[in-house]
Amino acid sequence: MIDIERLDHVLITIPTNTREEALRFYTETLALKEIPGNHPNGAIWVAFGDIELHIREEAIHQHNSARHAAMVVKDLAGAKAFLQKENVEISYSSVIEGRERCFFRDPWGNRFELIEYNKEV
């Protein structure tokens, strides 16, 4: 079993070469607050209520899209052990400071991210 605490973020994709247009739309038109930082793959992060919205360029109709929902879990090691027991393939991506994470896909190709924030000492 995976013990999910909450939804953390959703990553959506936009066509390549539209990053500046997307930044204007989400921060100016929709007036969402940009979350500053050097985010993986040049993504734009904005606050979407109390959930983060991550926006990343991707080729249209890309096989194995990066689009996904991300959930915070209480025990990432336990969640990974559960997925492995169920023969669900786990994958990894770039490192983000302050959190451990992994990804998996359902049988239809939908991608999910599981996150455990590092505990402060």
Side-chain angles (χ1 to χ4, degrees):
M1 183 172 131
I2 300 173
D3 194 0
I4 297 171
E5 291 184 335
R6 64 180 173 84
L7 181 65
D8 182 75
H9 71 268
V10 173
L11 182 138
I12 62 170
T13 59
I14 55 174
T16 54
N17 301 315
T18 61
R19 185 182 191 287
E20 293 307 313
E21 181 181 353
L23 181 61
R24 278 191 304 278
F25 177 77
Y26 287 99
T27 61
E28 294 175 18
T29 304
L30 296 184
L32 300 176
K33 184 177 184 301
E34 183 177 8
I35 300 167
N38 184 18
H39 306 300
N41 302 300
I44 299 165
W45 291 12
V46 294
F48 202 68
D50 62 351
I51 298 169
E52 293 179 2
L53 179 65
H54 299 179
I55 305 143
R56 189 170 108 183
E57 292 179 319
E58 180 177 275
I60 296 176
H61 305 299
Q62 178 175 320
H63 179 67
N64 289 331
S65 173
R67 289 184 299 265
H68 66 273
M71 284 79 62
V72 175
V73 297
K74 291 183 180 181
D75 176 14
L76 185 61
K80 291 192 296 189
F82 173 79
L83 291 170
Q84 290 169 333
K85 180 176 78 69
E86 296 297 324
N87 296 312
V88 175
E89 184 177 333
I90 298 170
S91 64
Y92 300 90
S93 186
S94 55
V95 174
I96 298 178
E97 187 177 332
R99 64 184 85 174
E100 300 296 321
R101 65 191 185 135
C102 71
F103 296 86
F104 70 94
R105 290 186 187 271
D106 70 13
W108 303 274
N110 296 299
R111 187 175 191 226
F112 297 91
E113 179 180 2
L114 301 177
I115 299 169
E116 182 176 15
Y117 284 89
N118 296 340
K119 312 284 188 286
E120 293 188 49
V121 180

